[in-house]
Amino acid sequence: MKENVLITGAGGLIAQELVKKIEHEYNVRFLTRKKKRPNEYEWNIENESIDEAAFENLSHIIHLAGANISEKRWTKERKRVLISSRVDSAKLLSDTLTKKNIRLKSFISASGINFYGTKTEEKIYEENDSPGNDFLSEVVVLWEKAADHFKEQHLAERVVKIRTAVVLSEKEGALKKMVRPIRYYIGSPLGSGKQYMPWIHIEDICYIYEFALKNTAVDGAYNAASPQHITNRDLTKEIAHVLKKPLLLPNVPGFILKLMFGELATAILEGSRASSLKIQKEGFRFTFPDLNDALSDLLQEREPKR
């Protein structure tokens, strides 16, 4: 008999791709603001309302809900939303489990590679390293604390936190934003270009969630980043190489990005490396550990026909 899995963040890229990989072995349900399909259930974080039918005979929750970090400038209100969409949503889930006296087999939560802080340095961060002290690090620390609550309160047998790097997909996100100017010969590295960019192919991040769901030994925090370390300059050049386009312009000055994005610019101009050895030691194998292979898979066949 198939186990029931509840996924939050139904409209997000990872949720949409993940369901394709697990729907044959699990009954997948979604929490969404507006129900459109039979397997969708409504919730509203601000009103603290949720359709409790989503929790009947439930075994696993994959918590992917969270407002987009890079979508808008970080005003005071935007910062509140970024935290609330992650933390308050988790609290609504835990409160409902407590009310219904449900104990999950697993609670698997998205998290961020920015746990270690937004800075450029030579250290390669591992899961047991301390968090940073900037806003993004604060978001991730609170995010993970909300996830750990499920284990502390015996609401789940295990809690997995997936510290996600920049997800490369041709559909949305950083790669799509970088590809367009390169196609039109106006692409260039950002700032110094020396900032590291931990990355992961959309297929691999979905496979990590599937791996975590199926393997009971997977417990705690894991870096979800390709084993190949690259900089912003490396990524920009490799995109141009795969698209067969030249890079004609100098780097975009950091001060321009700061004027455009405010504090958010730090997430663009700084970045460190993160090790993925822990998840690999559990037995996970990356399908796309190499950047050129990843970009070729995502971009080459989709290059417009002449």
Side-chain angles (χ1 to χ4, degrees):
M1 191 170 178
K2 290 183 178 180
E3 293 179 334
N4 296 312
V5 178
L6 180 62
I7 300 178
T8 70
L13 176 66
I14 294 176
Q16 293 173 24
E17 296 299 319
L18 175 60
V19 68
K20 299 174 186 177
K21 302 192 183 324
I22 66 173
E23 62 185 351
H24 301 297
E25 297 181 59
Y26 297 88
N27 293 318
V28 180
R29 304 167 180 172
F30 291 102
L31 279 174
T32 180
R33 282 184 169 272
K34 189 172 183 179
K35 179 181 176 70
K36 296 179 180 178
R37 300 182 181 89
N39 68 333
E40 294 180 344
Y41 300 80
E42 292 187 6
W43 71 334
N44 188 300
I45 299 165
E46 291 78 11
N47 297 338
E48 299 182 5
S49 63
I50 194 166
D51 185 347
E52 295 182 6
F55 293 79
E56 296 301 322
N57 300 312
L58 187 63
S59 297
H60 311 272
I61 291 179
I62 300 178
H63 185 37
L64 301 176
N68 190 318
I69 290 289
S70 60
E71 189 176 77
K72 300 177 181 178
R73 289 175 70 100
W74 293 347
T75 62
K76 185 177 181 180
E77 172 59 18
R78 184 60 180 175
K79 286 183 174 182
R80 185 198 67 78
V81 170
L82 291 175
I83 293 173
S84 174
S85 62
R86 291 160 170 79
V87 176
D88 293 341
S89 58
K91 184 178 186 301
L92 182 54
L93 294 172
S94 64
D95 287 348
T96 307
L97 291 174
T98 300
K99 177 182 178 181
K100 297 182 70 65
N101 194 27
I102 295 172
R103 180 177 170 85
L104 302 171
K105 291 185 177 181
S106 65
F107 181 81
I108 304 170
S109 177
S111 180
I113 209 71
N114 293 107
F115 174 88
Y116 310 105
T118 309
K119 51 197 171 185
T120 302
E121 57 185 17
E122 290 307 305
K123 179 177 174 63
I124 300 176
Y125 284 91
E126 298 180 349
E127 287 83 353
N128 58 359
D129 282 313
S130 300
N133 56 7
D134 52 38
F135 172 67
L136 277 187
S137 178
E138 176 191 357
V139 171
V140 180
V141 168
L142 292 172
W143 200 356
E144 293 195 358
K145 185 177 180 181
D148 287 333
H149 179 79
F150 286 76
K151 197 165 189 178
E152 294 164 359
Q153 298 300 312
H154 307 290
L155 299 173
E157 294 176 18
R158 62 192 178 99
V159 168
V160 184
K161 297 162 290 187
I162 309 296
R163 293 177 181 167
T164 309
V166 174
V167 177
L168 299 186
S169 166
E170 79 281 12
K171 295 180 180 179
E172 62 180 71
L175 180 60
K176 185 176 180 179
K177 292 176 182 177
M178 295 178 75
V179 163
R180 185 173 178 82
I182 291 173
R183 284 193 192 278
Y184 291 98
Y185 305 98
I186 54 174
S188 63
L190 304 177
S192 70
K194 296 178 181 179
Q195 65 272 35
Y196 290 104
M197 286 191 66
W199 64 278
I200 188 167
H201 189 292
I202 179 61
E203 288 285 309
D204 278 326
I205 188 61
C206 290
Y207 283 136
I208 284 180
Y209 275 101
E210 181 185 19
F211 183 81
L213 180 63
K214 294 179 177 179
N215 290 273
T216 57
V218 177
D219 198 349
Y222 292 86
N223 293 334
S226 165
Q228 183 184 36
H229 304 301
I230 64 164
T231 63
N232 175 267
R233 180 189 291 117
D234 296 332
L235 178 56
T236 306
K237 287 184 174 180
E238 199 59 45
I239 293 172
H241 174 73
V242 171
L243 294 177
K244 298 180 174 60
K245 302 288 185 180
L247 293 175
L248 304 175
L249 299 179
N251 292 21
V252 179
F255 77 89
I256 296 292
L257 295 171
K258 290 176 182 178
L259 287 173
M260 292 173 61
F261 300 109
E263 187 181 351
L264 168 59
T266 59
I268 302 170
L269 296 170
E270 303 290 343
S272 298
R273 296 176 291 178
S275 169
S276 59
L277 284 177
K278 183 179 178 183
I279 191 71
Q280 292 181 78
K281 286 179 179 178
E282 296 285 4
F284 180 79
R285 294 293 176 265
F286 285 86
T287 303
F288 295 98
D290 178 78
L291 181 63
N292 180 267
D293 291 343
L295 293 176
S296 296
D297 174 74
L298 293 167
L299 300 176
Q300 210 164 55
E301 294 182 357
R302 298 165 180 81
E303 174 75 346
K305 295 181 180 179
R306 295 183 183 277

